[in-house]
Amino acid sequence: MRIAIGADHAGFPLKEPTVRWLMERGYDVHDVGTFDEGVSVDYPDFAAKVTESVAAGEATYGVLFCGTGLGMAIAANKAQGIRAVTCHDVTSARFARQHNDANVLTMGGRLAAPELAQEVLATFLETRFEGGRHQRRVEEISGLERS
Ligand code: RB5
């Protein structure tokens, strides 16, 4: 499974250990940067790169880190076909997959330690969308994008 991952300078401390963690588990990781914590960058640039990859079907899921995860989610949700969620607990991550078919997970480097981020990400990646009544609602969200 291919995962596109990106961060700004504030999310960088979560991205580096998470990239290694994903690779150790056999995921194919597409790291779009940033690659230097010391240089201030704008999070929407990295949200755009990751969502492009997910929307094009090149990556199954996207992972984005900024200071809080919030700006990344707002930016990512501007892209067609993207359902980005900010989760800092495993229960939210599980429901985001089961009910919302979320395809991008965002977290904050200023809010979560790498161990928590990896626990939340593991739940996100391993939980399947339940479909059924949730499928209709996700299709309604797609309808809102078109209207
Ligand atoms: C950068 O200082 C910070 O604003 C950004 O990483 C993010 O938290 C925005 O949502």
Side-chain angles (χ1 to χ4, degrees):
M1 186 189 288
R2 190 156 213 237
I3 310 294
I5 189 165
D8 70 358
H9 53 287
F12 181 86
L14 278 189
K15 179 169 75 68
E16 293 314 289
T18 303
V19 166
R20 283 197 301 277
W21 181 88
L22 284 166
M23 289 172 79
E24 282 163 16
R25 279 154 187 79
Y27 289 99
D28 177 12
V29 181
H30 174 43
D31 185 353
V32 305
T34 188
F35 298 104
D36 186 349
E37 185 180 359
V39 178
S40 179
V41 291
D42 296 331
Y43 60 84
D45 294 335
F46 299 92
K49 288 181 192 186
V50 163
T51 56
E52 228 167 73
S53 181
V54 174
E58 292 160 11
T60 307
Y61 297 117
V63 180
L64 287 163
F65 300 122
C66 60
T68 58
L70 300 175
M72 281 295 197
I74 293 168
N77 279 315
K78 298 295 178 193
Q80 286 273 339
I82 296 301
R83 292 176 297 279
V85 289
T86 306
C87 300
H88 292 110
D89 66 276
V90 294
T91 306
S92 302
R94 183 161 53 81
F95 280 118
R97 288 288 310 124
Q98 286 178 335
H99 289 191
N100 312 115
D101 199 15
N103 51 13
V104 173
L105 175 66
T106 79
M107 284 180 275
R110 292 173 181 156
L111 301 181
E115 295 73 20
L116 174 64
Q118 289 154 15
E119 197 187 344
V120 172
L121 179 56
T123 300
F124 186 87
L125 296 176
E126 288 160 16
T127 305
R128 288 180 186 276
F129 177 48
E130 282 180 357
R133 68 188 192 280
H134 303 297
Q135 179 67 46
R136 186 181 70 245
R137 292 161 185 167
V138 167
E139 281 165 16
E140 283 182 38
I141 295 173
S142 305
L144 292 177
E145 278 182 346
R146 290 190 295 272
S147 65

